[in-house]
Amino acid sequence: MYTPHTPADIASMLADIGVATLDELVRVPEGLAPQAQIEVPAALPERELAVVMADLASENTATNFRSFLGAGAYRHYIPPVLGTLAMRGEFLTAYTPYQAEVSQGYLQAIYEWQTYIALLTGLEYANASVYDGATALAEAAIMAVNATGRRSLVISAAIHPQTRAVLATYARGIGLSIHELPYAANGCTDFSALDALLATGDIAAVAVQSPNFFGVIDEPPADVVTRVKAASSVMIGVIAEALSLAVLRTPASWGADIAVGEAQSFGIPLAYGGPYVGFMACSAEHLRRLPGRLVGRTVDTNGKPGFTLTLQAREQHIRRERAISNICTNQAHCALLATMYLAALGERGLRDCAVANIRMTQQLVAALLELPGVTRVFAAPVFNECVLRVPGKAADVLLRLQADQILGGVDLGRWYPELADCILLTATEMTIEDDICALQQALQCQLEVLV
Amino acid sequence: MSLDIPLLFETGQPGRANRYLREEAAATTYLPPELLRETLPLPEHTELDVVRHFTRLSQRTMSIDTNFYPLGSCTMKYNPRVNDASAALAGFRDLHPYAPDALAQGALRVMHTLERALASLFGMHAFSLNPAAGAHAELTALLIALAYFAQRGEGTQRTTVIVPDTAHGTNPASAAMVGYKVVSLESDARGRVSLERILSTIGPDTAVCMMTNPNTLGLFEDHIAEIAAAVHAVGGLMYYDGANANALMGNARPGDMGFDLMHLNLHKTFSIPHGGGGAGAGPVGVSAALAPFLPTPIVRSQDDIFALDFSCEQSIGPMRSFWSNFAHMVRALSYILANGADGLAQCSKLAVLNANYLRVKLRDVIDVPFDELCRHEFVASAQGLKRDTGVRALDLAKALLDAGYHAPTMYFPLLVPECLMIEPTETESKETLDGFIAAFRAILTQARRDPSVIQSTPTTTPVARLDETQAARHPNLRWKPA
């Protein structure tokens, strides 16, 4: 129970309070006592608890497989130093740094995170993080709605389907309508329908993901960005693989007003989907609409520099129903891990990591294209993911690969019925040539049987 | 003056980076140059420099591990390390969210077991583990309410959400976010929501009544059953904000009180580390009638085989990427298994014991506006002290920092002027509480003797009080190259 009270402590404290029993302290009005037996397994001593948890963990046999899974969650190298540092109890067991005088360390780390995100995206400001990349896009959409007073959004169909689904959940509740732009034959967003949508005058924002869900580098052409801005709409860039920011053109340089994304790749374990960390960056024009915590640098009463949470007048604990967002919790500890990751890798380490991802992906694609019947679906350049067409249903091919202890990628038919014979494969710096050979061989065996 | 610890961007040298990976050719070897950025202006440090930097930053961060942290409504209890060890097991840590269900049975079993345990502990039909935090859970619950009323054809009729003045700011903010009109309900003289006021406020337009019980004054809403019946009678839903669930865990259940929807902050009640403000986790519980609207996916179990179910037609849809803040689900289950039902109930009792002990030991030196048996927290007011000496709640909070204690929550709830909200939690010993009592009494004595001393605190912290006006007027939110 992790409680320190001895029977003598309890007796003397009860006497001081003036009640006879502990039960008296938690008594509830007649009829409100639990109306059913509480069904929770009996308490275990730590030794036995550890065995139970280890057994549960070992049931996740997928972690023993060779994996080409990505699609918004990426397996990257995490230097052990991150675990050592981030698990320091001071970081792990602090609350939101409301009391700035005793939270300077954490505040400075978040200020450093805000700086890293600004440098990586090329935009002026970044917040202290949000729940994840998908909710970051939903929050960016709200920023755009508040900035323009318009109620419609245009998004690319090549944004991660899950991110679009989350945006749709928010949009239904808030009462926003969403138009999707299809993807073109080369895997990039097809903007041909954009002008007609912009002409309605009700488009708050246009959102594009690059690299997109197909792995394709999908930064909108300059003339598209010009038209979006001419229509006074907000251009939102979505980055599902933050590592790509190390080498690809920044969202700011192609014209994004707001960049949002997922920074799981910066030192955060896969952990079956969370917690991860969303980032949000924007131009100076949108700063006062940026949700979530912000850390600012200032001075103390003696003129000494320090950090504090700032611009809190935007937030729910001050403004209540007039706040710009209901966000309270951010993902401080994940943002801290990411900051440590970026500090440890540095410019060259991060660039080498990103290039290794590109190189291994090109190697993977080349190896699989040697197989008869395997074709590349989209011609445009990719970062660390690629869509390949296979003979037969992707779901069947992937299931058979599992017999060879291989997770061959993600079945695109799950979200795009027209791509039911396509697999999204990912390679990172963790992929080794032996993995690629094993996949190539296993796939070849399948194809031989089919032929 | 310069920062005591220079920024990462002000130190380091190009070429000093660590060799975690092989050196690679330029990106132009693999991709057309027009797709690539020209420079990547990030600092380079040795690992030792990184270790020193963050170790020093950690030493300037007060935490549960370093100090008593009686921050009201935040439940800063001890975070058992076995929970982190469980979450760090390779089978959990390295599991990809798109791993096939058949190869992720352990993870799905964790989620299902936790979901069943929470449902039983809080008397709800089902929980979704999807929401990422408390405020996110509130939003989820309100979207469920919207979908429920839309399905009943009452979407345009149900426009109002009722929020007591003691509620957390997230409640009205979440309600406003989805277009509900927020009606604030004034507490009565007993610091509670009165049945009369509820009856005169609710009507056919009432969608949801959001309540925290015990409320943020630490008081049990003793008319809760009648309030719930009244709200139900007009067709509205009752929402339970679980911020204070540590006060009743295992001893009373929101489901039995008539709540239709609720959330939990696993990072409060279930000992998940707050991590400096996240990641949290905010499961949402619902009655049977609302279960079809829960976010996707749902973990289903049949013959001890578990699967993620995305095919819920009436679902509001997913609230976030993937399934849950899974590592936290492992931690929460680990905590529940370590305690068992009786242990969890005992945790609540001892949390209430500690809060009442502090209350009776401080009430002769500071006003306790609602001086009755409280639950897991209570509020004190420095209003009288401020009138007599000019010393405010803020000054007391800062003086406590000097004394080696984290400050209580200040200026919340809003209805108590100069408010300090104190929640000790069950994991603090009598000795720790006695130390805090002595320190707080000494501060109050000093405040009456020489207010200026207290008003100029803190003096022993790395910085003194910060100029927040300047921070907001001239936002400096990032380092910039010279």
Side-chain angles (χ1 to χ4, degrees), chain A residues 220-447:
Chain A
D223 65 299
V224 165
V225 176
T226 306
R227 271 143 47 205
V228 169
K229 300 208 173 176
S232 301
S233 300
V234 178
M235 189 76 225
I236 301 175
V238 181
I239 298 98
E241 169 47 297
L243 183 63
S244 68
L245 291 167
V247 289
L248 299 184
R249 249 159 51 97
T250 64
S253 61
W254 60 251
D257 303 297
I258 300 174
V260 294
E262 174 57 64
Q264 175 265 325
S265 285
F266 294 158
I268 309 204
L270 286 168
Y272 202 50
Y276 295 168
V277 53
F279 64 84
M280 299 185 73
C282 68
S283 59
E285 180 195 344
H286 292 288
L287 173 62
R288 307 247 164 199
R289 284 181 286 272
L290 187 62
R293 309 289 194 203
L294 288 168
V295 172
R297 183 171 166 161
T298 182
V299 292
D300 74 1
T301 48
N302 304 315
K304 184 177 175 182
F307 302 92
T308 183
L309 291 174
T310 191
L311 299 179
Q312 294 191 68
R314 304 165 301 121
E315 292 189 55
Q316 49 76 26
H317 60 289
I318 309 285
R319 294 286 294 272
R320 297 177 78 85
E321 67 268 21
R322 289 182 306 282
I324 58 160
S325 159
N326 74 335
I327 287 182
C328 179
T329 300
N330 58 49
Q331 303 287 107
H333 199 255
C334 296
L336 176 76
L337 264 172
T339 307
M340 290 170 175
Y341 176 86
L342 292 166
L345 266 79
E347 173 186 338
R348 199 179 65 191
L350 196 69
R351 196 189 55 217
D352 283 345
C353 185
V355 172
N357 277 251
I358 303 168
R359 179 171 57 78
M360 290 312 296
T361 302
Q362 294 191 356
Q363 207 171 317
L364 168 69
V365 171
L368 299 185
L369 287 180
E370 287 172 11
L371 304 174
V374 175
T375 56
R376 182 165 176 166
V377 180
F378 302 118
V382 299
F383 180 65
N384 64 359
E385 293 173 278
C386 190
V387 178
L388 296 181
R389 181 164 278 128
V390 292
K393 279 182 69 180
D396 298 337
V397 172
L398 290 170
L399 192 61
R400 287 192 293 268
L401 285 173
Q402 286 176 29
D404 294 302
Q405 304 255 307
I406 295 172
L407 298 170
V410 171
D411 163 24
L412 283 182
R414 180 170 177 172
W415 300 283
Y416 302 87
E418 72 279 15
L419 300 177
D421 56 352
C422 297
I423 300 175
L424 178 68
L425 297 98
T426 305
T428 70
E429 79 283 5
M430 301 296 278
T431 310
I432 55 173
E433 286 183 26
D434 195 46
D435 295 335
I436 295 177
C437 289
L439 174 62
Q440 189 193 34
Q441 277 174 16
L443 209 48
Q444 185 162 21
C445 291
Q446 274 197 35
L447 297 176

Side-chain angles (χ1 to χ4, degrees), chain B residues 286-304:
Chain B
V286 291
S287 63
L290 298 174
F293 303 101
L294 283 174
T296 48
I298 302 280
V299 182
R300 306 276 183 211
S301 132
Q302 196 174 3
D303 305 329
D304 214 35

Side-chain angles (χ1 to χ4, degrees), chain A residues 5 27 39 60 73 88 92 94 99 102 106 111 124 132 169 172 245 271-272 298-299 304 326 330 348 359, chain B residues 24 37 44 58 62 93 95-96 107 120 174 275-277 316 318 321 349 354 375 398 462 467 476 480:
Chain A
H5 303 72
R27 188 164 294 158
E39 284 165 30
N60 298 321
R88 285 186 66 93
L92 197 64
Q99 296 291 340
V102 290
Y106 221 128
Y111 180 88
E124 189 69 14
D132 64 11
T169 303
R172 269 192 301 275
L245 291 167
Y272 202 50
T298 182
V299 292
K304 184 177 175 182
N326 74 335
N330 58 49
R348 199 179 65 191
R359 179 171 57 78
Chain B
E24 297 283 340
R37 68 188 294 160
E44 299 192 313
S58 77
M62 191 182 269
R93 186 195 59 206
L95 185 63
H96 194 285
S120 180
S174 301
I316 59 165
S321 299
K349 290 175 191 171
N354 278 1
R375 298 287 160 154
K398 298 304 180 191
D467 186 345
N476 174 343
K480 276 184 191 166

Side-chain angles (χ1 to χ4, degrees), chain A residues 1-5 12-13 16 23 26-27 29 34-35 38-41 43-44 46 53 56-57 59-62 65 70-71 73 81 88-96 99-102 104-106 108 111-112 114-115 119-120 123-124 131-132 134-135 160 162 166 169-170 172-173 245 247-250 269-272 274-275 295-305 307 310 316 320-321 326 330-333 344 346-348 352-353 355-356 359 362 402 414-415, chain B residues 1 4-5 7-8 18 20-21 24-25 30 34-37 40 42-44 51 53-54 57-58 60-65 69 71 74 76 79-80 86 91-93 95-96 98 100 103-104 106-109 120 135-136 143 167 169-170 172-174 176 178 220 251 256 273-279 310 316-323 325-327 336-340 343 346 349 354 357 375 398 407 426-430 462 464-467 471-472 476-480:
Chain A
M1 292 186 303
Y2 313 104
T3 49
H5 303 72
S12 96
M13 291 166 82
D16 283 329
D23 287 338
V26 295
R27 188 164 294 158
Q35 285 161 26
I38 291 177
E39 284 165 30
V40 168
L44 294 173
E46 190 164 303
M53 299 311 282
L56 284 166
E59 281 186 57
N60 298 321
T61 48
F65 283 39
V81 68
R88 285 186 66 93
E90 298 91 330
F91 288 137
L92 197 64
T93 71
Y95 193 69
T96 303
Q99 296 291 340
E101 297 89 343
V102 290
Q104 285 299 297
Y106 221 128
Q108 181 169 337
Y111 180 88
E112 290 173 336
Q114 290 172 186
T115 303
L119 292 171
L120 285 166
L123 285 158
E124 189 69 14
Y131 308 132
D132 64 11
T135 57
H160 196 308
Q162 190 170 251
V166 172
T169 303
Y170 275 66
R172 269 192 301 275
L245 291 167
V247 289
L248 299 184
R249 249 159 51 97
T250 64
L270 286 168
Y272 202 50
V295 172
R297 183 171 166 161
T298 182
V299 292
D300 74 1
T301 48
N302 304 315
K304 184 177 175 182
F307 302 92
T310 191
Q316 49 76 26
R320 297 177 78 85
E321 67 268 21
N326 74 335
N330 58 49
Q331 303 287 107
H333 199 255
E347 173 186 338
R348 199 179 65 191
D352 283 345
C353 185
V355 172
R359 179 171 57 78
Q362 294 191 356
Q402 286 176 29
R414 180 170 177 172
W415 300 283
Chain B
M1 279 191 271
D4 290 340
I5 302 169
L7 294 167
L8 286 165
N18 302 296
Y20 295 118
L21 302 166
E24 297 283 340
Y30 303 102
E34 65 271 19
L35 295 177
L36 303 173
R37 68 188 294 160
L40 179 66
L42 304 186
E44 299 192 313
V51 168
H53 179 78
F54 286 102
L57 291 184
S58 77
R60 296 169 155 243
T61 304
M62 191 182 269
S63 63
I64 299 171
D65 279 10
Y69 215 119
L71 191 65
C74 297
M76 302 299 281
N79 306 142
S86 299
F92 294 134
R93 186 195 59 206
L95 185 63
H96 194 285
Y98 286 133
L103 307 179
L108 293 170
R109 189 189 294 277
S120 180
H136 200 220
L143 291 173
T170 49
S174 301
V178 296
F220 192 83
N251 296 301
D256 298 332
H274 284 72
F310 295 86
I316 59 165
M319 288 298 295
R320 44 82 57 79
S321 299
F322 305 114
W323 332 135
N325 279 353
F326 175 74
I336 288 173
L337 294 180
N339 281 288
Q346 183 75 356
K349 290 175 191 171
N354 278 1
Y357 183 70
R375 298 287 160 154
K398 298 304 180 191
E426 72 276 14
T427 54
E428 299 299 337
S429 66
K430 182 170 180 294
R465 293 187 199 191
L466 290 147
D467 186 345
N476 174 343
L477 308 175
R478 57 169 291 196
W479 169 87
K480 276 184 191 166

Side-chain angles (χ1 to χ4, degrees), chain A residues 18-265:
Chain A
V19 296
T21 65
L22 283 178
D23 287 338
E24 219 172 295
L25 289 172
V26 295
R27 188 164 294 158
V28 289
E30 193 96 3
L32 292 187
Q35 285 161 26
Q37 179 73 28
I38 291 177
E39 284 165 30
V40 168
L44 294 173
E46 190 164 303
R47 162 84 191 107
E48 291 170 38
L49 171 63
V51 172
V52 168
M53 299 311 282
D55 285 349
L56 284 166
S58 71
E59 281 186 57
N60 298 321
T61 48
T63 53
N64 305 323
F65 283 39
R66 299 178 195 271
S67 174
F68 297 89
L69 294 172
Y74 301 94
R75 187 171 61 113
H76 288 298
Y77 181 68
I78 302 177
V81 68
L82 265 65
T84 311
L85 282 177
M87 292 308 279
R88 285 186 66 93
E90 298 91 330
F91 288 137
L92 197 64
T93 71
Y95 193 69
T96 303
Y98 288 128
Q99 296 291 340
E101 297 89 343
V102 290
S103 309
Q104 285 299 297
Y106 221 128
L107 286 163
Q108 181 169 337
I110 297 296
Y111 180 88
E112 290 173 336
W113 151 271
Q114 290 172 186
T115 303
Y116 271 120
I117 296 301
L119 292 171
L120 285 166
T121 59
L123 285 158
E124 189 69 14
Y125 295 115
N127 71 5
S129 73
V130 289
Y131 308 132
D132 64 11
T135 57
L137 176 59
E139 292 290 342
I142 295 169
M143 286 173 71
V145 166
N146 291 339
T148 60
R150 303 172 183 176
R151 310 289 295 174
S152 298
L153 306 162
V154 174
I155 64 170
S156 162
I159 291 178
H160 196 308
Q162 190 170 251
T163 306
R164 285 184 284 132
V166 172
L167 180 64
T169 303
Y170 275 66
R172 269 192 301 275
I174 298 167
L176 307 176
S177 56
I178 296 176
H179 308 277
E180 280 193 4
L181 297 173
Y183 60 89
N186 69 350
C188 293
T189 304
D190 175 356
F191 290 100
S192 51
L194 181 62
D195 284 343
L197 290 166
L198 290 176
T200 64
D202 191 40
I203 305 302
V206 177
V208 177
Q209 177 181 322
S210 180
N212 69 22
F213 186 61
F214 307 127
V216 166
I217 299 166
D218 191 11
E219 87 181 33
D223 65 299
V224 165
V225 176
T226 306
R227 271 143 47 205
V228 169
K229 300 208 173 176
S232 301
S233 300
V234 178
M235 189 76 225
I236 301 175
V238 181
I239 298 98
E241 169 47 297
L243 183 63
S244 68
L245 291 167
V247 289
L248 299 184
R249 249 159 51 97
T250 64
S253 61
W254 60 251
D257 303 297
I258 300 174
V260 294
E262 174 57 64
Q264 175 265 325
S265 285

